[in-house]
């Protein structure tokens, strides 16, 4: 069977380097290339070497259009403005994209949704299999316990993370809100400070901690009177996200245009 050519947009980033290493080591995949931000210091460097694996004989480029031409699927873990541009470009070139970037604005989200009318796109705030199982568990528990159980979600990430709360924390909150049949934006409380007064019933509270090299911890707490259920996921390696994204890329190349999540990729 022909190998799937996968290109990495943002190949110099924390996730980009993991993705390059995972694609190079995964059967059925061929590394189509990688692009970094225009003007980046690593342009021209071997993408394998940059990812901490042996040389692969492909230089880091800065031409996303060329990379899309050379790939069956591209994977984009960059930043919201860049991701929105890449989604539009992929739609115009008829190429599939796996998007892992978080923190997209409404307009950027719309650009992704519009592109997905023309090409297949997987868009997932978290590509780990286990986090996607956790999303299902949270949905199940939220449905069973009802809104009189106070739901609080807190997360901790490394000091370089630029958006808060994490896309995963928001996805966990959205899963719970959907299970409770309420609009997420109406019940989400994204931070507290000062004299906040007592907790209004039915809200979903968020807290974000930042520091060191924490890869990503998520705590989902259902607090009741006399007992508390806490569901916790701790990521200790970005390899879990890279593995899930590469699995998504392999799955995506055979799909019709549309917007997909890891639920579809993993058949959950
Ligand atoms: P990072 O800052 O280490 O890497 C982002 C890279 O993208 C940087 O090297 C940057 O120079 C590059 N970039 C920016 N604009 C570009 C452009 N136009 N063309 C090419 N490259 C460009 O960040 P990171 O930790 O790798 O995370 C990247 C994104 O992925 C964030 O939004 C993060 O929240 C998200 N993330 C998602 C998952 C998931 O499972 N979906 C997991 C981890 C991180």
């Amino acid at each position: 069977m022909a190998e799937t050519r996968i290109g990495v947009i943002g190949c110099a980033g924390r996730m980009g380097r993991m993705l390059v290493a995972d694609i190079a080591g995964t059967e059925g995949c061929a590394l189509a290339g990688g692009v970094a931000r225009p003007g980046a210091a690593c342009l021209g460097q071997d993408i394998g070497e940059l990812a901490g694996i042996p040389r692969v004989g492909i230089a880091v480029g800065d031409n996303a259009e060329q990379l899309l031409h050379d790939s069956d699927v591209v994977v984009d873990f960059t930043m919201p403005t860049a991701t929105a541009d890449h989604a539009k470009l992929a739609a115009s070139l008829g190429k599939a994209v796996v998007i892992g970037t978080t923190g997209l604005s409404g307009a950027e989200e719309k650009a992704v949704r519009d592109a997905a009318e023309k090409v297949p796109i997987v868009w997932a705030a978290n590509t780990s299999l286990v986090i996607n199982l956790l999303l299902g568990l949270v949905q199940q528990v939220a449905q069973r316990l009802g809104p009189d159980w106070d739901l609080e979600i807190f997360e901790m990430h490394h000091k370089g993370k630029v958006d808060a709360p994490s896309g995963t924390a928001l996805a966990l909150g959205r899963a719970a809100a959907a299970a409770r049949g309420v609009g997420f934006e109406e019940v989400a409380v994204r931070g507290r400070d000062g004299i906040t007064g007592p907790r209004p019933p039915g809200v979903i509270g968020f807290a974000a901690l930042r520091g060191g090299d924490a890869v990503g911890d998520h705590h989902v707490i259902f607090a009741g009177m006399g007992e508390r259920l806490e569901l916790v996921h701790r990521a200790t390696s970005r390899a879990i996200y890279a593995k899930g994204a590469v699995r998504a890329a392999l799955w995506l190349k055979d799909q019709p245009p549309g917007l997909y999540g890891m639920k579809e990729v993993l058949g959950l």
Side-chain angles (χ1 to χ4, degrees):
M1 216 170 66
E3 287 183 318
T4 303
R5 296 168 305 156
I6 306 177
V8 180
I9 301 186
C11 65
R14 281 174 287 256
M15 277 306 301
R17 284 175 276 142
M18 275 287 164
L19 286 158
V20 166
D22 198 85
I23 294 163
T26 301
E27 212 173 311
C29 297
L31 202 46
V35 293
R37 184 178 37 77
C42 61
L43 293 182
Q45 199 180 335
D46 186 275
I47 56 172
E49 211 167 55
L50 184 63
I53 60 171
R55 292 175 70 85
V56 293
I58 305 173
V60 176
D62 64 358
N63 186 339
E65 185 167 348
Q66 185 60 49
L67 181 65
L68 279 152
H69 272 297
D70 296 343
S71 309
D72 297 313
V73 187
V74 295
V75 183
D76 182 325
F77 283 62
T78 56
M79 54 187 288
T81 48
T83 293
D85 289 345
H86 296 142
K88 284 183 212 155
L89 194 57
S92 70
L93 298 172
K95 296 290 182 170
V97 197
V98 175
I99 295 173
T101 310
T102 60
L104 274 65
S105 68
E108 289 152 353
E109 284 194 19
K110 184 172 182 312
V112 171
R113 287 183 200 286
D114 289 348
E117 288 177 10
K118 302 199 176 79
V119 291
I121 294 184
V122 166
W123 182 24
N126 198 309
T127 49
S128 137
L129 166 66
V130 177
I131 278 285
N132 283 280
L133 293 177
L134 177 61
L135 280 164
L137 279 177
V138 166
Q139 205 154 17
Q140 212 177 321
V141 176
Q143 212 157 24
R144 285 296 177 99
L145 293 184
D148 49 331
W149 286 70
D150 298 330
L151 176 48
E152 295 283 307
I153 299 174
F154 77 89
E155 48 101 345
M156 174 151 187
H157 282 83
H158 56 90
K159 57 186 168 191
K161 184 161 178 65
V162 295
D163 54 316
S166 70
T168 304
L170 294 171
L172 290 161
R174 285 200 175 91
R180 287 179 170 181
V182 294
F184 175 70
E185 297 303 338
E186 282 87 75
V187 295
V189 175
R190 295 184 180 218
R192 298 185 181 99
D193 185 28
I195 313 297
T196 59
R199 186 185 200 280
V203 302
I204 300 177
F206 290 89
L209 315 182
R210 294 289 174 265
D213 61 357
V215 174
D217 295 352
H218 290 90
H219 298 239
V220 181
I221 302 168
F222 290 87
M225 304 307 286
E227 58 189 333
R228 200 158 68 225
L229 173 62
E230 304 190 3
L231 301 170
V232 181
H233 178 266
R234 287 193 179 86
T236 53
S237 163
R238 286 186 181 82
I240 57 165
Y241 308 131
K243 280 216 171 324
V246 172
R247 187 163 166 179
L250 289 171
W251 176 86
L252 192 62
K253 74 171 198 307
D254 299 321
Q255 303 306 319
L259 189 60
Y260 304 97
M262 289 306 287
K263 209 169 160 183
E264 286 87 9
V265 174
L266 300 168
L268 297 174

